[in-house]
Amino acid sequence: MDRSKPKLSRIAETLGVSVATVSNALSGKGRVSPELVERIRATAAELGYVPSVAGRALRTGRSGVLGLVLPDIANPLFPQIAQAIEHAAASAGYGVLIADSRGETAMQTEAIGRLIERGVDGMVVVPRRGTRIVEASCPVAVIDSPSTPGNTVAADHWEGGRQMGGHLRELGHRNVLLIGHSPASNVQNDRIGGLKSGLGRGAVTETLWIEKLEAAGGAGCPLGLVEKVRSGVTAVATLSDLIALRALTELQGAGIAVPQAVSVSGFDDLIWSSVVTPGLTTMRMDMETVAEIAVAALVDTIEAERRGGEEQKILGPVSAAVPKVPMELVIRHSTGVAGMGLSQARNRTEGELAS
Amino acid sequence: MDRSKPKLSRIAETLGVSVATVSNALSGKGRVSPELVERIRATAAELGYVPSVAGRALRTGRSGVLGLVLPDIANPLFPQIAQAIEHAAASAGYGVLIADSRGETAMQTEAIGRLIERGVDGMVVVPRRGTRIVEASCPVAVIDSPSTPGNTVAADHWEGGRQMGGHLRELGHRNVLLIGHSPASNVQNDRIGGLKSGLGRGAVTETLWIEKLEAAGGAGCPLGLVEKVRSGVTAVATLSDLIALRALTELQGAGIAVPQAVSVSGFDDLIWSSVVTPGLTTMRMDMETVAEIAVAALVDTIEAERRGGEEQKILGPVSAAVPKVPMELVIRHSTGVAGMGLSQARNRTEGELAS
DNA sequence: TGAAGGTGATTAATCGTTTAATCCGCCTAG
DNA sequence: CTAGGCGGATTAAACGATTAATCACCTTCA
């Protein structure tokens, strides 16, 4: 009664055949008679055989692990991405090793290095804004923005912005405040562009960048939304749900009713978007699909590399066939028809209190 | 000019010594003369030698990878945990493989199985409420609640609750509404217990469980906070920042001023807590320390197992010396002195609008 | 009848590292 | 003068799987 983990040789001697035959049978590669394959399969299952990743990795040179590099794990979008990538990778038979660059650009390179040392077969990278991925000695799938050179796959942020813009336009909003985090982000620029396009030429927009605001006013400083509303803004279209939340509470805290006085919209459909009051109108990206495409592209490249050998060394980002994944407009209660104005909104607030 | 990755043998033949000597020199194990060690180190660096994880793993039987199992990656606390664990693991020279059970209890077992097949040396598990970890054939560190049997390390949720309760008591709150997600969670029960203790015997509390509310009213249903406030509640102490956010917006949306009319407190100091208006008063847990202890316990067990061999097989959860990590009260602006009452709060709201 | 071809299996090398066992001088103590 | 000890290196055997090369045997056709 040997308790140690069964290996190929155990199966082999149990059946009185060679390890090579067992290996062939299990992988379906060589020539093994059907009935022997069946017997080998059976005893393998019976013995609870699990192939050693290390042994296989050493021989084949591939580890069956993908790396996941994100600009900042603390990002609230991370759970969605990680979950989707992990799922897609697991379906393809790969594990996922995480690497955190803790928000620092310099550490991204180091994090990538650690992954490579660990022998990942490929990696999916959500690059820090503006960072170029160069020194990867393995296939890389980049998830950023369709307008980023070298991008592999991404949601169609521009089109998402256009949809949201259209939604606001239909509600009658002509004076819209746009709030993003940083203009250095391709994703945010795409969204802004789409937003403006969707709002149409009749609309007047102003753009606020949190990064600049906080450089002056400190982290978490007020956005000064009350004055903006007073000066005629009827909708605040933000480039992320975190900013939307910030705007929503700042407005509500000042007694301004959302959406009666001002509409607020976000992006990404983060965890809290559905439970706050009013529920946030936002754009959801299909991370499942994005992740599937990214992982598929990676796996394809890895397979090709394995077969092709040294002939075609594909370094740098791999590119997929369908780079743009559509986004979905999620209409909740933070957006409404424009034009009620501030005074009416104040009445409503009082009314609710009095009711 | 051989472009392929340098291995031990390359260094060996470059210097005219044996691979064993190179290995010994690099790992500092055997007996190698100091100057030879130096020369080997030098050429290793020069050649850009990186040890093959696969080769080492095969020989030593350890992969240098830790698994991370969470009840639900979509949980907003996940980024904090993942980041802390990844950091602690990286410092100890380990990689982190993630496993997602997508919120389903059944998949947790399967996820753990996948990690083991991948050959992780140990894993840290944040168990789904009430789940027992049994079938792990490797060291496991459990992060749950100090009151959970088999727990390895956790923040001191009870003491955190007591601190928060004390904070509210000092502000004069005697009628407090407690809101949690599910009574099945040890963590939440600890927090509730501490909260009640901190509030003291003079306080009257009522407890709401979101899970039950939503079972009746559907996901994202209103919490009915307005009536509670009207019936005399001056503070809402929630067991997580997500619930706090939900309470905050529900109250603000109804025109009730926070903290003037009602105080709201949370737990965990999640990403948005500092940027909403008013900033959330919350309890921050020192995930860095928790992660360090968990990883250290794991690494210790792995090391001991390596040296001790088969003698002392430590299956099941490992336990550490310092199981309770203190939490830190973060006072922002969502809590204030009790007693201003609802009417005054309404005045303030109007005042802000008129200013 | 013998060569060619095919099928089902085995042999043995290999991946890169670790490590127990061994070996060779040389110095020292008995 | 020799046995013993020790520092400093080498040899060689794993670890567990994959796979190219080989082999034995059987069929088939010239």
Side-chain angles (χ1 to χ4, degrees):
Chain A
M1 196 69 73
D2 194 341
R3 294 233 157 278
S4 64
K5 286 179 188 170
K7 25 186 189 178
L8 282 188
S9 58
R10 171 102 43 102
I11 303 181
E13 67 190 23
T14 304
L15 262 53
V17 296
S18 74
V19 286
T21 302
V22 178
S23 174
N24 281 330
L26 257 24
S27 64
K29 289 230 171 129
R31 292 179 303 213
V32 189
S33 67
E35 66 260 62
L36 219 201
V37 168
E38 194 42 55
R39 278 171 51 211
I40 289 178
R41 282 246 169 75
T43 48
E46 185 184 355
L47 261 46
Y49 169 71
V50 174
S52 149
V53 209
R56 173 177 298 169
L58 180 56
R59 179 62 227 244
T60 64
R62 280 162 309 115
S63 59
V65 174
L66 262 29
L68 175 58
V69 184
L70 294 121
D72 189 2
I73 281 192
N75 187 297
L77 194 55
F78 173 55
Q80 276 185 36
I81 301 183
Q83 186 166 49
I85 295 287
E86 201 274 342
H87 188 228
S91 304
Y94 284 81
V96 176
L97 215 45
I98 59 177
D100 182 21
S101 45
R102 316 205 118 214
E104 294 163 43
T105 314
M107 289 195 67
Q108 179 161 303
T109 312
E110 200 220 335
I112 292 178
R114 280 209 309 268
L115 285 181
I116 292 183
E117 283 180 21
R118 279 242 135 62
V120 297
D121 294 337
M123 43 205 241
V124 7
V125 179
V126 183
R128 188 147 184 80
R129 43 173 195 172
T131 312
R132 299 281 292 146
I133 311 296
V134 269
E135 44 215 309
S137 56
C138 70
V140 172
V142 178
I143 301 181
D144 189 6
S145 149
S147 60
T148 301
N151 182 67
T152 304
V153 58
D156 194 342
H157 300 282
W158 196 94
E159 174 59 21
R162 209 190 53 75
Q163 276 188 64
M164 181 62 83
H167 170 63
L168 293 174
R169 180 173 45 70
E170 284 171 13
L171 290 172
H173 296 280
R174 296 290 176 269
N175 193 339
V176 180
L177 181 64
L178 273 26
I179 314 183
H181 183 78
S182 162
S185 152
N186 282 321
V187 168
Q188 303 222 345
N189 278 322
D190 281 11
R191 290 176 177 182
I192 285 254
L195 228 19
K196 286 180 178 170
S197 162
L199 283 164
R201 58 188 89 236
V204 26
T205 64
E206 182 190 354
T207 307
L208 244 49
W209 295 109
I210 299 263
E211 201 178 51
K212 292 177 185 167
L213 247 48
E214 293 197 331
C221 68
L223 270 24
L225 262 28
V226 180
E227 292 103 61
K228 298 290 179 188
V229 170
R230 213 171 262 130
S231 68
V233 164
T234 66
V236 177
T238 70
L239 266 34
S240 106
D241 278 358
L242 187 57
I243 306 179
L245 186 61
R246 196 164 167 176
L248 174 68
T249 56
E250 182 169 326
L251 290 166
Q252 284 186 334
I256 298 176
V258 176
Q260 290 82 356
V262 203
S263 288
V264 173
S265 73
F267 257 96
D268 296 340
D269 196 23
L270 298 184
I271 182 95
W272 61 78
S273 308
S274 58
V275 300
V276 296
T277 305
L280 280 176
T281 293
T282 191
M283 292 297 311
R284 177 189 300 153
M285 44 198 281
D286 188 355
M287 274 309 303
E288 288 292 325
T289 304
V290 169
E292 269 167 29
I293 296 179
V295 170
L298 232 35
V299 172
D300 283 355
T301 310
I302 294 168
E303 291 292 312
E305 216 168 54
R306 186 174 66 101
R307 277 190 302 270
E310 299 298 310
E311 333 170 352
Q312 43 160 2
K313 260 204 171 175
I314 308 176
L315 296 181
V318 299
S319 56
V322 189
K324 294 183 184 181
V325 175
M327 298 188 86
E328 182 193 354
L329 177 60
V330 181
I331 300 176
R332 297 209 177 88
H333 306 290
S334 67
T335 50
V337 291
M340 277 190 74
L342 198 49
S343 55
Q344 269 182 280
R346 191 196 310 167
N347 289 341
R348 190 206 68 99
T349 303
E350 292 173 8
E352 285 236 338
L353 267 177
S355 74
Chain B
M1 195 69 75
D2 196 339
R3 293 235 157 277
S4 65
K5 286 178 189 170
K7 24 185 191 177
L8 283 187
S9 58
R10 173 97 48 89
I11 303 182
E13 65 189 28
T14 303
L15 262 52
V17 297
S18 74
V19 285
T21 303
V22 178
S23 174
N24 281 330
L26 258 25
S27 64
K29 290 228 170 134
R31 292 179 301 215
V32 189
S33 67
E35 66 261 59
L36 219 202
V37 168
E38 195 41 56
R39 278 170 53 211
I40 289 179
R41 283 247 169 76
T43 50
E46 186 185 355
L47 260 47
Y49 169 72
V50 174
S52 150
V53 208
R56 172 177 298 170
L58 180 56
R59 178 62 227 245
T60 64
R62 281 162 307 116
S63 59
V65 174
L66 262 29
L68 176 59
V69 185
L70 294 121
D72 190 1
I73 282 192
N75 188 297
L77 195 54
F78 173 53
Q80 277 185 37
I81 301 182
Q83 186 166 49
I85 295 287
E86 200 272 345
H87 188 227
S91 305
Y94 284 82
V96 176
L97 214 46
I98 58 176
D100 182 22
S101 44
R102 319 205 115 215
E104 295 163 42
T105 312
M107 289 193 69
Q108 180 160 303
T109 311
E110 199 219 335
I112 292 178
R114 280 209 309 270
L115 284 181
I116 292 183
E117 284 181 20
R118 280 242 133 62
V120 297
D121 294 338
M123 44 207 237
V124 7
V125 179
V126 183
R128 186 148 184 79
R129 39 169 200 176
T131 312
R132 298 281 293 147
I133 310 297
V134 268
E135 44 216 310
S137 55
C138 69
V140 172
V142 179
I143 300 181
D144 190 4
S145 149
S147 60
T148 302
N151 181 68
T152 305
V153 58
D156 194 342
H157 299 283
W158 196 93
E159 173 59 21
R162 208 191 52 75
Q163 276 188 62
M164 180 63 82
H167 170 64
L168 293 174
R169 179 175 43 69
E170 284 171 12
L171 290 172
H173 295 282
R174 296 289 175 270
N175 193 338
V176 180
L177 180 64
L178 273 27
I179 314 183
H181 184 78
S182 162
S185 153
N186 282 322
V187 168
Q188 303 222 346
N189 277 322
D190 280 10
R191 290 177 177 182
I192 286 255
L195 230 18
K196 286 180 178 169
S197 162
L199 282 165
R201 57 190 88 237
V204 26
T205 63
E206 182 190 355
T207 306
L208 244 48
W209 295 108
I210 300 260
E211 201 177 52
K212 291 178 184 165
L213 247 48
E214 293 196 330
C221 69
L223 269 24
L225 263 28
V226 180
E227 293 102 63
K228 299 290 181 191
V229 171
R230 217 171 256 129
S231 69
V233 164
T234 66
V236 177
T238 70
L239 267 36
S240 106
D241 278 358
L242 187 57
I243 306 179
L245 186 62
R246 194 163 169 176
L248 175 68
T249 56
E250 182 169 323
L251 290 166
Q252 284 187 334
I256 298 175
V258 176
Q260 289 80 357
V262 203
S263 288
V264 173
S265 74
F267 257 95
D268 295 343
D269 195 22
L270 298 183
I271 181 94
W272 61 79
S273 308
S274 58
V275 299
V276 295
T277 304
L280 281 175
T281 293
T282 189
M283 292 297 310
R284 178 190 299 152
M285 41 199 280
D286 189 354
M287 275 307 305
E288 289 291 326
T289 304
V290 170
E292 269 166 30
I293 296 179
V295 170
L298 232 35
V299 172
D300 283 355
T301 311
I302 294 169
E303 292 292 311
E305 216 169 55
R306 185 174 67 101
R307 277 192 301 271
E310 299 298 311
E311 334 171 350
Q312 45 160 359
K313 260 204 170 175
I314 308 175
L315 296 180
V318 299
S319 56
V322 188
K324 292 183 184 181
V325 174
M327 296 187 87
E328 180 194 355
L329 177 60
V330 180
I331 300 177
R332 296 210 178 87
H333 306 290
S334 67
T335 50
V337 292
M340 276 191 71
L342 199 49
S343 55
Q344 268 182 283
R346 191 199 306 167
N347 288 342
R348 191 207 67 101
T349 303
E350 290 171 10
E352 285 240 335
L353 267 176
S355 73

